[in-house]
Amino acid sequence: MDIDAPTPHSSYKINTTFTRLDFRDKMISDHDVHSLSEDLKVNNMLTSLNLGKNNIGNSGAAHLSEALKVNGTLTSLNVGMNNIGDSGAAHLSEALKVNGTLTSLNADMNNIGDSGAAHLYEALKVNGTLTSLNVGWNNIGDSGVAHLSEALKVNGTLTSLDVGMNNIGDSGAAHLYEALKV
């Protein structure tokens, strides 16, 4: 069952029905995400969570990260357009290092930059479940895409990487080309 929820103020800890929650564009704050993350730590039904186009920020990404470290059912997460920045990307990367169920992560339009891409590289080196990652529109340049390219060389599960609409020049494109050869 899907739900297009108004806000995450209700507890989903005892959820036995919902498999997808859509909080896209609901003016969710980092405080709201803290409550939702506490629920995610014990919820065993939810497989898809859409928090796109809100304002969870770095703090909200930190709360989600803690939940993702222990949640064993969520397979799809959208945190696009949430102002998480490179610090938020670092938090999510820490979760990706230990999470064994998430297969799809959309983190587009968050201004993670090269530093955030470097954090994701560290996670992708060890993550064995993520198959789709969208980091488009994130102000990632050649340095950041070089890190992601190195991750592609060692990660055996990622099959889709969206780096569109970033600041990738010839050097970054060359790194991607070399990674694809491997």
Side-chain angles (χ1 to χ4, degrees), residues 44-58:
N44 63 1
M45 290 296 292
L46 202 62
T47 59
S48 177
L49 178 60
N50 185 350
L51 293 169
K53 201 175 178 187
N54 284 291
N55 193 28
I56 67 169
N58 169 37

Side-chain angles (χ1 to χ4, degrees), residues 31-108:
H31 174 74
D32 296 323
V33 170
H34 180 259
S35 298
L36 182 60
S37 295
E38 289 302 310
D39 292 345
L40 282 174
K41 290 179 181 178
V42 295
N43 184 294
N44 63 1
M45 290 296 292
L46 202 62
T47 59
S48 177
L49 178 60
N50 185 350
L51 293 169
K53 201 175 178 187
N54 284 291
N55 193 28
I56 67 169
N58 169 37
S59 171
H63 295 306
L64 278 174
S65 174
E66 292 307 310
L68 289 172
K69 289 176 182 177
V70 296
N71 179 282
T73 58
L74 198 66
T75 59
S76 177
L77 176 62
N78 179 0
V79 291
M81 298 179 69
N82 268 293
N83 302 310
I84 66 170
D86 61 341
S87 295
H91 291 301
L92 292 175
S93 295
E94 288 303 311
L96 288 175
K97 290 178 182 178
V98 297
N99 180 283
T101 57
L102 199 67
T103 59
S104 176
L105 175 61
N106 178 10
D108 68 341

